[in-house]
Amino acid sequence: MLAADSAASVIALIAVFVIFTLLNPRFLTSLNINGVVVSTSISTITGLGMTLIIAMRALDLSVGSIMGFSAIVAAQLLAAGLPLWLVIVLGLLIGAGLGLGNGLLIVLLGLPSFVATLASLSMILGGELLITHGETVTIHNAEFARLVIGNVLGYIPAAVLIALVVFAIIWTIFYRVPFGRHVAAIGGDIRAAIGAGINVSRVTLGAFTLIGLCAGLSGLMTGAELQNADSTIGAGSELTAIAVVVIGGTSLMGGRGNLFGTVCAAILLASIKAGLNIANVSSLYEDLVFGSILIIALMVDGLRRGTRRKGMLVV
Amino acid sequence: MSNESRHEAVPGGYALPSEATGSVAKARRGSVASFVRAGIRIRRDRSGVWILNLAILIFLAFAAPNFFGLGNIEAVLNDTAILGIGAAGMTILIIAGAFDLSVTAVMGLAPIVGLTVAGNDSGLLVILISVLTGAVLGLVNGLIVTRGRVAPFVATLGTLFVFGSIGAIISKGNALSATNALLLQLGTGAVSNIVPYSFLVMLGACGLCHILLRRLHIGRWIRAAGSNLRAAHVSGIDLRATYLSIFVLSGALTGLAGIVLTGYLASAVATQAPNYNLNTIAAVVVGGTSLSGGEGTLLGTVLASWLFAVVNNGLILLGVNSYWQYLATGIILVLALALGLLGVGGKFWPLAGLRS
């Protein structure tokens, strides 16, 4: 599980913890603030789904829109008076359904995943705006919020527990079930995968349904935390998710996925934000640090690999 | 890459892209007539954008005849220009098999630097600095890709965050107002109230890119690199120089698009062009340029930019809620590609689906 690929993100994570704790001893306690924990859990969950998709050498740009859509639908259903458990089930089903729609666009029309999910990003966002008329839908449900920001057994944050369950499920799917091996096989060499008798379209549909489910869950968690839902929920989170996956050591070339690295990268990202925050650095600098880390991590990785593949560019 | 390997002969049997080898014969018959014929010939992968353009124009002729009013045409051409200038650079990049996700941030950062450095006194200086800033940012992208050996997709994803953050830091998250007459003219002025200056700028940018791609040596290198990187490397093409120059070109064009948008909005904000990266990629793809690289045209990109502008404008004229335009963008993307893919026989379909 702890492959060499994730070594970089683990080292970076430890380095960040040590540096920020030395700079300000309050750093470790600041991580325990609910907002940090919940946002880390949410980016972990979308990142885990994205790891699977990137291992298949595909991309899903519609993650952010699906998050927003499921949050908005859940908010409206709650307002209509449906019971909470039904709303959660429906929200997850909507996420999975939209993911399945992405898969169908790819499989039936033969579109590249990048273009298909770019189209659905736009369409789902349009749907959100048409449902809400660009307004914010408020959620008044303390129980819903407690499921995300509350604690289990007194001190374990519920959001962390949800993320752990998702990690366990996706870990099992990826490393212990034939489906996971098929995903990696398609990403590694699609012709070989077809030759080996893998049903490429069924695996594609499955993987995109799974990431849709993850995105739906993230959307519900965001809605529950904020106690409202509008079309800005999840905006841009597809690119953040891709960045998290790549920092975690999964190559965009497909064939391999590094779930543990993704989790480390998501925690790394959140702890940098929290660290900058208690160091009183303006939030305008967060993206600067985040982007620099992404570039430096990949350059180090590229130069390390460059000694083996002289003269070639990675394009 | 050493100098010797650059001049190495192509080993026998190594398949080069047909265009790279056949371009000598092509360049010889360079009469104007053949140039026009070759440019306007409707290709299958671009059929989608032609069909949709035609269908929508016919539909609008019946449903909203005021679409063809001169003032409205000017507005549509203006929208086309802002998307098209950036999409021209993106076309070259995608043909070379690269990507630039940082254009969104460059669109904001370049005019912010221009206005911060030059103020509102000299419009020409602001435009120049903005284009130059774009070129420098493109150079940064290019260096990370060629020297840092990072894939363009993730390299420019990183610089998207970095450039965006720098733009917000310089402008302190506020909007800088643009009051210079030349800037405002560039964004909103028009020749005899029909053809906006920005549209002429776009035609110039696309013409430049077209010549670069079809008439200069670097164009062959770009297409060769996009269709088969290894073959291009083996045949002695200096890939680093090629990628570096197209990233600089694309950055400069994005800086230009940014300052045109600033002229149009009369202000510069770090987030003035949200989703510009995905929109330009959509325009390039709808225009028939393959995301797998090696093949594509500027004409297709211009047509696609026009198509997006017409649809958004048409929706407004029809009095439809503006939220529908997101839905329309997605539907156009799917339709244009599906129409372009029609008639592709014998190809195993999931193969086409997974190669992003």
Side-chain angles (χ1 to χ4, degrees):
Chain A
M1 187 164 102
L2 195 95
D5 287 342
S6 56
S9 47
V10 175
I11 293 168
L13 188 57
I14 295 169
V16 163
F17 267 73
V18 171
I19 292 170
F20 276 125
T21 313
L22 289 178
L23 283 176
N24 193 333
R26 282 192 297 121
F27 171 68
L28 280 177
T29 46
S30 79
L31 281 182
N32 202 18
I33 296 168
N34 252 322
V36 179
V37 170
V38 172
S39 73
T40 313
S41 308
I42 290 170
S43 60
T44 305
I45 291 169
T46 48
L48 287 171
M50 191 65 91
T51 311
L52 217 62
I53 294 292
I54 290 181
M56 203 171 66
R57 206 182 171 183
L59 282 173
D60 190 345
L61 297 177
S62 67
V63 172
S65 310
I66 295 179
M67 279 174 70
F69 199 85
S70 69
I72 285 170
V73 171
Q76 295 216 322
L77 291 179
L78 277 178
L82 262 68
L84 184 61
W85 65 269
L86 189 60
V87 170
I88 292 173
V89 169
L90 285 175
L92 292 176
L93 278 180
I94 281 167
L98 291 173
L100 183 67
N102 280 333
L104 288 173
L105 275 182
I106 293 165
V107 168
L108 293 183
L109 291 179
L111 299 180
S113 61
F114 187 92
V115 185
T117 53
L118 178 57
S120 58
L121 176 153
S122 208
M123 288 194 272
I124 297 168
L125 190 61
E128 285 171 28
L129 288 166
L130 286 172
I131 293 176
T132 60
H133 303 286
E135 283 164 16
T136 303
V137 189
T138 49
I139 301 171
H140 297 291
N141 197 318
E143 201 187 338
F144 192 28
R146 233 186 348 265
L147 284 179
V148 174
I149 61 173
N151 289 331
V152 179
L153 300 175
Y155 58 94
I156 305 168
V160 171
L161 209 61
I162 298 175
L164 275 177
V165 169
V166 172
F167 178 73
I169 292 172
I170 292 193
W171 190 87
T172 313
I173 289 175
F174 197 58
Y175 293 111
R176 289 285 177 271
V177 173
F179 175 80
R181 279 200 299 282
H182 295 168
V183 164
I186 291 170
D189 187 339
I190 188 169
R191 282 165 206 277
I194 294 165
I198 293 171
N199 188 338
V200 174
S201 22
R202 205 163 65 194
V203 175
T204 306
L205 288 179
F208 275 91
T209 309
L210 200 60
I211 192 176
L213 197 61
C214 289
L217 178 60
S218 303
L220 290 180
M221 288 170 72
T222 314
E225 187 203 3
L226 300 175
Q227 285 290 298
N228 63 46
D230 61 21
S231 56
T232 60
I233 284 188
S237 64
E238 58 279 343
L239 294 181
T240 315
I242 294 172
V244 163
V245 172
V246 171
I247 291 177
T250 300
S251 160
L252 281 181
M253 301 305 289
R256 267 188 286 171
N258 191 338
L259 296 174
F260 187 65
T262 301
V263 176
C264 287
I267 299 173
L268 177 70
L269 178 63
S271 44
I272 288 168
K273 279 193 176 172
L276 288 178
N277 194 15
I278 63 165
N280 271 330
V281 179
S282 157
S283 64
L284 295 178
Y285 288 83
E286 272 174 14
D287 278 351
L288 184 68
V289 175
F290 177 49
S292 308
I293 286 175
L294 177 60
I295 294 168
I296 292 168
L298 288 162
M299 272 167 69
V300 170
D301 186 48
L303 295 175
R304 190 164 54 82
R305 275 184 294 124
T307 53
R308 271 186 270 142
R309 291 173 57 203
K310 272 205 185 93
M312 281 299 293
L313 285 167
V314 271
V315 175
Chain B
M1 192 187 309
S2 71
N3 228 13
E4 288 78 42
S5 74
R6 200 177 299 165
H7 298 296
E8 224 172 53
V10 183
Y14 216 115
L16 273 179
S18 58
E19 271 159 317
T21 49
S23 61
V24 180
K26 221 182 210 172
R28 223 171 266 153
R29 47 161 182 80
S31 69
V32 177
S34 72
F35 176 75
V36 169
R37 259 204 311 279
I40 306 232
R41 192 181 61 222
I42 299 178
R43 296 164 44 100
R44 192 189 55 215
D45 46 3
R46 231 190 297 145
S47 58
V49 73
W50 281 107
I51 296 170
L52 285 177
N53 255 323
L54 208 66
I56 285 170
L57 287 181
I58 292 173
F59 172 73
L60 284 176
F62 289 104
N66 51 348
F67 173 83
F68 295 96
L70 291 185
N72 192 51
I73 293 288
E74 186 201 331
V76 176
L77 288 178
N78 214 336
D79 287 353
T80 311
I82 290 168
L83 184 59
I85 296 171
M90 188 70 86
T91 310
I92 302 263
L93 282 174
I94 291 182
I95 290 173
F99 255 119
D100 191 352
L101 292 179
S102 71
V103 289
T104 308
V106 177
M107 284 284 279
L109 178 53
I112 283 174
V113 171
L115 283 174
T116 313
V117 173
N120 269 309
D121 300 330
S122 165
L124 205 60
L125 200 61
V126 175
I127 296 171
L128 215 63
I129 292 175
S130 178
V131 173
L132 211 64
T133 309
V136 170
L137 298 176
L139 183 69
V140 172
N141 280 331
L143 285 175
I144 294 171
V145 169
T146 56
R147 294 289 160 184
R149 295 165 190 271
V150 181
F153 187 89
V154 275
T156 55
L157 177 56
T159 52
L160 167 69
F161 293 111
V162 173
F163 295 163
S165 179
I166 294 175
I169 292 167
I170 293 179
S171 64
K172 299 184 182 67
N174 300 323
L176 306 178
S177 65
T179 52
N180 186 282
L182 182 67
L183 281 186
L184 300 183
Q185 273 295 309
L186 179 69
T188 54
V191 181
S192 60
N193 287 332
I194 304 173
V195 186
Y197 297 126
S198 55
F199 188 71
L200 297 177
V201 170
M202 185 203 77
L203 287 184
C206 288
L208 182 83
C209 290
H210 180 84
I211 291 170
L212 188 86
L213 202 60
R214 298 284 157 187
R215 288 285 170 269
L216 300 183
H217 286 301
I218 191 173
R220 267 190 288 143
W221 301 340
I222 290 167
R223 282 177 288 149
S227 52
N228 190 335
L229 198 64
R230 198 169 287 266
H233 172 65
V234 172
S235 64
I237 292 169
D238 189 344
L239 291 174
R240 281 191 172 146
T242 309
Y243 278 106
L244 206 55
S245 40
I246 59 176
F247 269 107
V248 171
L249 173 76
S250 158
L253 287 177
T254 311
L256 185 61
I259 199 70
V260 171
L261 182 61
T262 290
Y264 181 71
L265 300 172
S267 70
V269 200
T271 54
Q272 65 179 349
N275 293 330
Y276 191 74
N277 48 5
L278 298 180
N279 288 343
T280 47
I281 292 172
V284 173
V285 170
V286 168
T289 299
S290 158
L291 270 186
S292 47
E295 199 41 65
T297 57
L298 270 307
L299 179 66
T301 303
V302 173
L303 283 171
S305 307
W306 160 259
L307 177 64
F308 281 117
V310 167
V311 169
N312 288 346
N313 182 275
L315 288 175
I316 295 167
L317 288 187
L318 293 172
V320 178
N321 192 322
S322 68
Y323 301 135
W324 280 96
Q325 63 170 270
Y326 288 99
L327 219 57
T329 305
I331 293 170
I332 289 174
L333 202 50
V334 172
L335 268 186
L337 285 164
L339 286 171
L341 288 171
L342 279 184
V344 180
K347 203 170 164 192
F348 191 67
W349 42 268
L351 273 182
L354 279 170
R355 291 291 163 213
S356 55

